[in-house]
Amino acid sequence: MNDAAPAPYPLDPTGAGGHAQAALLRARGPVVPILLPGGVEAVAVTRYTELKEFLAHPDAAKGPCHFAALQQGRIPEGWPLTVFATLKGMTTADGDDHRRLRAPVSRAFTARRVEALRPRVRELADALLDGLADRAGRNGVVDLREHFAYPLPMGVICELLGVDQDLRDDVHRLSQTIVSTSAGPEQTLAANRDMAALLDQVVARRRKAPGDDLTSALIAAQEEDEERLSGPELVGTLLLLVVAGHETTLNLITNAVRALCADPGQLRAVRTGRAGWEDVVEETLRYDSPVGFFPFRYPTRDLTVGGVLVPRGTAVLASYSAAGRDERAYGPDAARFDVTRRPEQRHLSFGHGPHFCPGAHLARLEGAIALEALFARYPDLTPAVPDRALPPHPSFVGNSTDTLPVRLG
């Protein structure tokens, strides 16, 4: 940035005060210098119009070869955000490579194929709700995040990928560390190493016993010249799918329940037919995006965004939390949760442009089914502690709380 630019704002790696931080950055401008863990400088795009434009800009690349600090050796070993920059997969690829890596995944997540999963998702949700009361302690409190919001999307994505039951808790434990921005170098390195080994095990099992799952399909794609995936690309694709396929939906369900409990009038709007569960999902995605700040894109030339010069090779984060509450896009009440809202501007929580999330259909389906089933089974569900007392998820990438204790009623 130029000499007159303000000092970079240090993002809180613990995830605390996420929306207050996003609002402060949005007020500073559409493109704001920030400081990442390890003293790495970057910028965040904070406003809706500028972010939508940037996400689809042909000169905003995803490949790590464009990340100046990485190429110059200025990224410390064990940096908690390294995986977002260097993962071998479609999120760090451009052009033909991106299309090659994305194609087999996109075919697995078409709207038709996802809709066919509806009965299975509902079955899994009902089974979890059947046992939820038994998870409550003597005080009648159960952690809804741990015992419902987590196992539902984890079960769905692991069935889709062919990840066996005995590996799933380890997958979740490691993915939490991988997306954490407060993990130390040794913890980060160990989590990435252990996750790669675990996913190698998944691949080995499916090579030995192929099934009707996406991992088996991706292995088969390695044998097709037009869609050949290298070993690291296969593992990187699985890592992306298993992490994004449950962590984001886990946050979506958690954040939606919190918002509905904080304003019972919103729940009444659904029960009286003024809004549907799909509306709850969309408003949650806007109001409290499961992803706060998503890394990375890099200008391939000096680029002006919202009147701000972003030099070539700068690491850029998309601030979905900030853009989702941008009054310029959503009006003066943008910071209010309203399931009857019908905005002209669709939220950006699944991205925009060539890298739009291929799992958006599935996340929406899971969120709507989970919320409808939960509140049908437990219509008097209430929070066990004030929302402000809930510990944040330790990341500025993932945006949610780490627990959600409730009384089922």
Side-chain angles (χ1 to χ4, degrees), residues 7-63:
Y9 180 92
L11 292 187
D12 189 334
T14 70
H19 279 292
Q21 181 173 244
L24 185 153
L25 292 174
R26 186 175 59 245
R28 288 191 174 190
V31 180
V32 183
I34 57 173
L35 197 64
L36 303 177
V40 176
E41 293 190 9
V43 301
V45 185
T46 65
R47 295 180 185 171
Y48 181 92
T49 298
E50 289 80 4
L51 180 55
K52 186 176 182 180
E53 175 188 347
F54 181 74
L55 291 174
H57 201 290
D59 296 318
K62 297 282 285 181

Side-chain angles (χ1 to χ4, degrees), residues 193-223:
R193 180 186 64 241
D194 292 349
M195 180 67 94
L198 189 152
L199 294 176
D200 279 337
Q201 188 177 353
V202 171
V203 172
R205 290 185 183 186
R206 296 287 72 82
R207 285 192 191 278
K208 185 176 181 181
D212 184 20
D213 58 76
L214 184 53
T215 299
S216 298
L218 290 171
I219 291 170
Q222 288 185 305
E223 301 173 0

Side-chain angles (χ1 to χ4, degrees), residues 118-135 142 144 146-153 155-156 159 165 168 369-370 373-374 377-378 408:
R118 182 179 294 275
R120 180 55 179 156
V121 176
R122 183 57 192 255
E123 182 182 6
L124 289 172
D126 287 341
L128 291 168
L129 293 172
D130 287 343
L132 196 57
D134 295 335
R135 300 285 191 175
V142 61
L144 194 69
E146 178 181 359
H147 297 299
F148 182 66
Y150 150 61
L152 177 60
V156 173
E159 287 188 5
Q165 186 70 49
R168 295 179 186 181
I369 289 175
L374 174 66
R377 185 75 64 93
Y378 297 108
L408 300 175

Side-chain angles (χ1 to χ4, degrees), residues 382-394:
T382 57
V385 299
D387 193 74
R388 64 181 179 277
L390 295 175
H393 188 61

